[in-house]
Amino acid sequence: MNTPARPRASQSNASLGTPHSCPSASTGHTATCSARPIPKLQEELKERVLKHLKGRVWEFSCKKITEMISPGMTLDEVNKLDAEVAKLGLDTLLEPDLRDRLSYNSGGDGYLQNPFFREYDRKTSDRIFAAARLLPDITFLNVAVTGKAPAAKKFLASWGYGPDTMKRGDLNLPVLHIEIAVEVKSNWKDLLAQVGTYARASFYGSPLRRFVVCIGINQVDKTFCVFLFHAGGVAASQPLGLSEGREDLIRFLLAILLWRNVEDAGIVSDGVRYTFPSPKENEPPVDLENLELLHRRVDLCGRKTYVVRVGQTAERCGTSQKRRASGDAELDAEQPNSKRLKAEEPTSGATSSHRSKSFAPSDGLQSTSSHFQTISLQPDSKSARIKEKRAKEDAEAAAKKAVLDEIQQRRGAERRTTLIAPHEKIIADGDLDYFPNEAVIKFSWQQHEKRLLEAKALAACSGRFGTPSFVYTLIAADNLSLLPQSETDAKFWSKCADIKSDVVALDRRVFCATVCADVGMSLECCKSPWDLGRALLDCQLGWLGVLQSDILHRDVSIGNLLLLKTPVPRQAYCSSLLPGRYETPELKDACNDYMSVTGELSATLADLGVSDKCTAIITDFDLSTRMDQPSKSHGFLSGTREFMSTYLLRAVQRREPYLQSVVDDLWAFFNVAVWVILFSDAFAGKSVAEEAWRVEIRQEYQKRDGAQAEIIDGAWLRRAKKHPDQAKLNEYSDLLKAFLPVLQDWHTKLKTLDSLDDSPLDSAEGLQHQILAAECVRDFASYLLKHRSSLNPVA
């Protein structure tokens, strides 16, 4: 049965981002990522760039921008820099021998070892998300210390990754990385939009970086501006004349030549290999490498989310295993027939150090299995076991080698420092005190005032049923030095007043790395109706456990509910957890009602056989909010559009104030269930009606609700039974037919709920929200129990 092409769901709280879907090595599944449609035309892309930059372009002097990107300079370095400016003040900037003139830091020990300008004005070698290839006018590139700058049109420029050479016609041309893109236009607004597309492409090539530098030249008034793009907007220089401003530009370029490493260039990490601190104090740091790219969101500004599955390098993993294995010494002594054997060393094509000289796929991946294993030496099974173990390790290594072509970097790793030195670190209390051999890391630029929101939510619920096993969150960088010091000091860029905002608001952000131990996949990978029902129940229990800490998720979607590859042990659902603010004499009766509902839920879970083995989890809490600190949203979309409740979407469409509540999250769970049923990997119905529903649930909420009502009505199933000879009527998926009774009962329950206008800030109202949420999860569990025979015929 062929699986239909899976559409993408749109992330509704970002206007320019386009996440990336990538195959999983372990499952062959293509993750469904939230995305707006890919802008294929340059004009469409530039319009969205300007929309995203509205109210975020701040003007500075060129000297101030030079200070923003300059590493800490000594007095001697500053004097030498001024001397170079004086010497080069009258030279032509874009001559081919500019690198020879910019002689500072030419010893090959800096980040830019052999940079040069070249007129380009043709298509780059790579494209970003199937959009048209970009055509920068001039490129500032870099080659190896021993390399020679190629002549014009004898090379190809690239925004990030790919092969070292590429064939064009009869020529095999070298591919060089663009450090700075230069654009020449006659209109400042169009110029800003165009260099914005270049910055977006640069962020795609190096996803974990603080800023991107671009230069724009206005050919009409013969002036130029330096642009510094970052997560909070753009720092733009005052327009400078090509003649009188030349000294400022040369000082700026010389400051770039002072960059000694990737940190000076604004790259927090290469996005391939990392060194993280151990959760335990006084333990050595952990070396990690990418095993799988799970999600990436190419934003010009905003969160720029980048999620990867990582594993400890073979060397570190072996050390960790040996340390843990040391506790088994007594067991080995008691079992003389057991013996510790050393496994095969890595092959010569693999390297275990994060200082490898290449990020090529053949070098970057090896198995994370231990160098030491405990193997029982049974005479008749020894060879078979060793052979089976080696075959498994070879298969794992081959799978891992196949998934990183998308994100390998060509530039030498020996010049890259991947140590993340945190400014702040939050560790979940009482959860993991070691770094797992495999983990999931989510990198993102969070708003400064909300930088610890997700970490505190994860720490509060870590280890509970249906929630991730949280390691820690690091805060490694910020964009504060790239913004005006305060709103009163902020000056909007004078050359593009029509994208100026009426309200001055500085978008202060910090770079966070959140580490969790659980590796999951989309609910679309469920293999049976019962698997889907159980996964939805486990995720709702996780959501309810988070709610018991007074935290509302607010972004229940297909990308944030994950099916675990294997069930994991968790604390069994606890029915007695409630925040202390509800434990007052006035709320005693309401608390008793809550305990009664959760007690019934626990009894139903026992009947279903749900105890301490968790099959799915709810993740991604960066849009969550505290129940005791709610606020009404005026047109801001919090969540993913396809899964948001009708109440919320209607309020946003009308721009009415609205309080997001548990009702919206509960409806989102139902919308996810319908999505999974229609787009399941294992069950793909080919009926005409299902094809239409797949289109309609991705459109405006009126059409989505109409499609859901048609599904719930069940007339399609009655027609199929009435006309068994018509193939197109009988090609509905087995998952849809089996899950229909659950959907009907569930939908009937949710239709009785109204949007909650009373603020949970009040303890009495907050407790009513808790009771309503527990009732709905209890009822869903009862629907699974009621229809268990149709969902799981074997049982």
Side-chain angles (χ1 to χ4, degrees):
M1 187 177 292
N2 295 326
T3 302
R6 183 176 300 106
R8 299 178 177 185
S10 62
Q11 186 74 14
S12 36
N13 59 346
S15 58
L16 187 67
T18 42
H20 180 66
S21 296
C22 33
S24 163
S26 56
T27 65
H29 169 69
T30 301
T32 302
C33 301
S34 301
R36 285 185 178 272
I38 298 171
K40 294 186 177 181
L41 300 177
Q42 282 294 297
E43 292 306 314
E44 178 189 354
L45 181 58
K46 289 195 290 186
E47 286 179 8
R48 294 172 68 175
V49 165
L50 291 175
K51 182 179 179 181
H52 206 54
L53 293 179
K54 183 176 177 61
R56 296 184 179 193
V57 187
W58 309 108
E59 185 171 292
F60 300 88
S61 67
C62 191
K63 185 176 180 181
K64 179 63 177 177
I65 291 184
T66 301
E67 181 184 323
M68 290 177 179
I69 66 164
S70 299
M73 290 187 290
T74 66
L75 181 60
D76 291 340
E77 289 170 335
V78 172
N79 291 336
K80 183 160 186 175
L81 186 63
D82 288 337
E84 291 281 355
V85 170
K87 183 175 69 174
L88 301 176
L90 299 178
D91 289 335
T92 302
L93 288 178
L94 301 179
E95 290 180 357
D97 61 345
L98 175 67
R99 178 62 188 90
D100 297 331
R101 300 178 186 277
L102 301 183
S103 57
Y104 189 79
N105 201 18
S106 60
D109 58 346
Y111 171 75
L112 297 176
Q113 298 182 9
N114 189 15
F116 62 96
F117 278 103
R118 280 289 185 274
E119 182 181 354
Y120 197 73
D121 199 20
R122 61 187 187 277
K123 294 180 180 179
T124 55
S125 68
D126 52 354
R127 62 180 67 196
I128 310 302
F129 293 127
R133 287 188 173 94
L134 299 174
L135 290 82
D137 290 326
I138 301 166
T139 55
F140 184 57
L141 306 112
N142 188 33
V143 295
V145 128
T146 57
K148 182 180 179 181
K153 298 189 178 181
K154 297 297 183 182
F155 69 96
L156 294 173
S158 168
W159 297 108
Y161 57 87
D164 291 324
T165 60
M166 183 174 290
K167 197 168 184 64
R168 284 288 173 91
D170 297 331
L171 300 176
N172 200 30
L173 301 177
V175 179
L176 303 180
H177 181 82
I178 299 174
E179 299 292 345
I180 300 174
V182 183
E183 181 66 18
V184 181
K185 284 190 179 296
S186 58
N187 177 278
W188 280 114
K189 182 178 179 181
D190 193 31
L191 188 59
L192 175 64
Q194 191 66 67
V195 296
T197 66
Y198 301 157
R200 177 176 176 269
S202 295
F203 279 125
Y204 179 81
S206 299
L208 306 183
R209 63 185 305 160
R210 289 180 62 236
F211 59 80
V212 167
V213 177
C214 293
I215 297 175
I217 300 175
N218 189 310
Q219 62 187 8
V220 173
D221 55 14
K222 292 181 171 52
T223 55
F224 71 90
C225 281
V226 175
F227 299 97
L228 209 61
F229 291 84
H230 55 88
V234 186
S237 74
Q238 299 166 340
L240 299 168
L242 289 176
S243 298
E244 63 271 18
R246 184 168 298 169
E247 181 176 311
D248 292 291
L249 180 56
I250 293 175
R251 181 181 287 107
F252 174 78
L253 294 174
L254 289 171
I256 290 177
L257 291 178
L258 288 172
W259 291 346
R260 295 180 178 85
N261 48 49
V262 292
E263 288 82 2
D264 291 344
I267 300 174
V268 183
S269 174
D270 55 31
V272 176
R273 304 192 179 201
Y274 324 89
T275 299
F276 273 56
S278 171
K280 275 190 176 181
E281 298 294 335
N282 303 320
E283 284 216 352
V286 184
D287 294 334
L288 305 168
E289 60 190 359
N290 283 357
L291 302 179
E292 183 181 357
L293 173 60
L294 300 176
H295 176 82
R296 72 184 303 169
R297 187 171 187 82
V298 182
D299 284 340
L300 187 58
C301 306
R303 288 183 290 167
K304 304 176 188 288
T305 307
Y306 183 78
V307 186
V308 290
R309 179 170 67 92
V310 300
Q312 296 188 35
T313 57
E315 178 180 334
R316 169 69 185 180
C317 185
T319 304
S320 175
Q321 292 281 358
K322 285 188 288 184
R323 185 183 298 114
R324 291 188 207 167
S326 62
D328 298 333
E330 293 183 14
L331 182 62
D332 290 342
E334 293 175 2
Q335 298 179 1
N337 290 332
S338 294
K339 180 179 179 181
R340 199 170 300 280
L341 297 180
K342 187 172 183 180
E344 284 186 332
E345 295 293 335
T347 62
S348 58
T351 163
S352 61
S353 171
H354 70 289
R355 297 181 180 273
S356 70
K357 294 186 178 295
S358 172
F359 286 131
S362 60
D363 295 330
L365 293 172
Q366 61 276 338
S367 172
T368 57
S369 60
S370 169
H371 283 234
F372 292 86
Q373 299 288 341
T374 301
I375 301 176
S376 177
L377 297 180
Q378 299 294 335
D380 57 345
S381 64
K382 173 182 174 182
S383 298
R385 287 195 168 196
I386 292 178
K387 184 176 180 180
E388 180 182 354
K389 173 179 172 294
R390 289 177 179 174
K392 182 178 179 181
E393 289 180 350
D394 290 344
E396 290 176 353
K400 291 171 183 176
K401 285 180 180 179
V403 298
L404 277 186
D405 292 346
E406 190 78 26
I407 49 175
Q408 298 298 340
Q409 304 288 342
R410 291 190 316 278
R411 288 173 289 176
E414 68 275 5
R415 293 193 290 114
R416 290 181 174 273
T417 302
T418 57
L419 176 67
I420 290 188
H423 298 168
E424 302 177 60
K425 180 167 71 172
I426 302 297
I427 299 182
D429 184 25
D431 202 13
L432 295 184
D433 61 351
Y434 63 92
F435 210 103
N437 288 339
E438 287 193 13
V440 173
I441 303 180
K442 172 187 170 182
F443 299 98
S444 60
W445 285 88
Q446 299 289 344
Q447 291 182 330
H448 186 269
E449 62 273 16
K450 299 179 180 179
R451 62 193 183 280
L452 299 181
L453 184 64
E454 182 174 32
K456 290 181 177 179
L458 286 167
C461 66
S462 182
R464 292 183 187 173
F465 198 90
T467 64
S469 187
F470 178 54
V471 182
Y472 57 53
T473 289
L474 302 179
I475 295 181
D478 60 56
N479 73 335
L480 304 184
S481 64
L482 307 177
L483 289 167
Q485 291 186 354
S486 66
E487 280 76 6
T488 56
D489 297 331
K491 178 183 178 182
F492 196 80
W493 191 46
S494 58
K495 290 298 181 179
C496 206
D498 53 345
I499 64 168
K500 180 179 179 180
S501 176
D502 296 333
V503 179
V504 176
L506 301 181
D507 193 6
R508 301 178 178 91
R509 291 185 177 267
V510 295
F511 182 74
C512 300
T514 297
V515 185
C516 293
D518 302 302
V519 179
M521 48 193 167
S522 171
L523 295 190
E524 295 165 359
C525 296
C526 289
K527 298 271 172 67
S528 71
W530 175 252
D531 286 347
L532 174 59
R534 173 63 194 272
L536 287 167
L537 176 59
D538 287 6
C539 291
Q540 289 185 70
L541 291 173
W543 172 80
L544 192 60
V546 175
L547 196 69
Q548 288 175 322
S549 296
D550 244 6
I551 297 171
L552 183 64
H553 191 279
R554 299 203 311 171
D555 189 19
V556 175
S557 64
I558 186 64
N560 295 336
L561 307 182
L562 298 181
L563 178 69
L564 298 176
K565 294 182 178 179
T566 56
V568 296
R570 283 290 190 273
Q571 302 169 11
Y573 169 72
C574 180
S575 61
S576 60
L577 290 177
L578 265 180
R581 72 184 182 114
Y582 300 129
E583 296 177 0
T584 63
E586 297 81 6
L587 298 178
K588 182 178 180 181
D589 291 341
C591 283
N592 290 336
D593 292 341
Y594 177 81
M595 295 303 173
S596 175
V597 173
T598 55
E600 293 170 1
L601 171 58
S602 296
T604 305
L605 295 178
D607 292 340
L608 288 170
V610 178
S611 57
D612 60 350
K613 293 294 184 182
C614 183
T615 65
I617 57 175
I618 184 170
T619 65
D620 201 355
F621 294 86
D622 52 1
L623 293 182
S624 63
T625 186
R626 289 201 56 82
M627 295 272 286
D628 53 357
Q629 298 173 355
S631 61
K632 289 197 174 184
S633 170
H634 293 260
F636 175 74
L637 300 179
S638 180
T640 306
R641 181 178 58 82
E642 283 79 1
F643 310 105
M644 294 165 69
S645 73
T646 300
Y647 305 121
L648 178 55
L649 288 172
R650 185 186 298 130
V652 170
Q653 187 180 73
R654 299 173 180 175
R655 302 197 65 80
E656 297 174 346
Y658 185 82
L659 177 70
Q660 250 177 294
S661 70
V662 296
V663 172
D664 301 293
D665 278 10
L666 289 165
W667 269 109
F669 276 109
F670 178 85
N671 295 334
V672 169
V674 175
W675 180 282
V676 172
I677 289 170
L678 292 178
F679 293 109
S680 168
D681 279 352
F683 303 87
K686 293 190 264 185
S687 65
V688 174
E690 282 173 297
E691 294 291 348
W693 294 336
R694 290 187 187 104
V695 174
E696 291 169 357
I697 66 169
R698 300 171 56 227
Q699 298 179 356
E700 59 270 16
Y701 69 87
Q702 294 92 340
K703 289 190 176 181
R704 181 195 67 186
D705 293 352
Q708 290 182 355
E710 190 175 348
I711 292 172
I712 298 302
D713 177 68
W716 52 271
L717 185 58
R718 294 191 291 273
R719 287 195 299 269
K721 292 179 178 179
K722 186 176 180 180
H723 303 282
D725 56 322
Q726 298 184 21
K728 276 293 182 182
L729 289 179
N730 289 297
E731 289 186 321
Y732 292 99
S733 75
D734 293 335
L735 180 60
L736 175 60
K737 290 185 285 188
F739 219 84
L740 179 61
V742 176
L743 288 180
Q744 290 172 329
D745 289 348
W746 197 5
H747 190 263
T748 301
K749 170 65 179 180
L750 293 176
K751 291 292 285 185
T752 65
L753 307 180
D754 294 322
S755 59
L756 301 177
D757 293 326
D758 296 322
S759 171
L761 179 62
D762 178 78
S763 296
E765 293 298 338
L767 188 51
Q768 291 305 313
H769 287 221
Q770 297 275 359
I771 294 173
L772 177 62
E775 285 178 349
C776 289
V777 178
R778 175 203 63 189
D779 290 347
F780 179 79
S782 69
Y783 305 148
L784 295 184
L785 186 61
K786 174 183 175 183
H787 302 291
R788 184 169 187 172
S789 59
S790 61
L791 296 175
N792 190 15
V794 175

